[in-house]
Amino acid sequence: MNVLRLVAREFFGMFVDDGSLALLALVLVAAVTAAVKLLALPPLLGGALLLVGCLAILLQSVRRAARTSSR
């Protein structure tokens, strides 16, 4: 069972280096999509929210990586 878990983790690691970054990006995309579709948010505003949200997620990820590499 440990071999399967190791293989799955390595396979996932080939595509996603930072699981938190990937999860937050997926949540952001889903939230903005729901806001545009369900709340009739203008698509241009949705795109701006997506851009700002992605930049915030990336900044948080870079800060976390810098903290762990300095230790």
Side-chain angles (χ1 to χ4, degrees):
M1 194 62 170
N2 288 334
V3 173
L4 290 176
R5 187 174 296 160
L6 179 64
V7 168
R9 184 175 293 151
E10 287 296 320
F11 183 75
F12 182 72
M14 286 187 340
F15 300 104
V16 178
D17 186 38
D18 187 357
S20 173
L21 175 71
L23 180 64
L24 287 173
L26 288 175
V27 169
L28 175 66
V29 168
V32 170
T33 301
V36 169
K37 294 289 184 181
L38 300 176
L39 302 177
L41 191 72
L44 189 59
L45 184 57
L49 285 174
L50 195 59
L51 175 66
V52 171
C54 282
L55 290 174
I57 291 169
L58 284 172
L59 179 65
Q60 183 258 346
S61 178
V62 167
R63 284 183 178 170
R64 186 177 61 244
R67 244 184 285 132
T68 57
S69 69
S70 67
R71 290 181 183 178

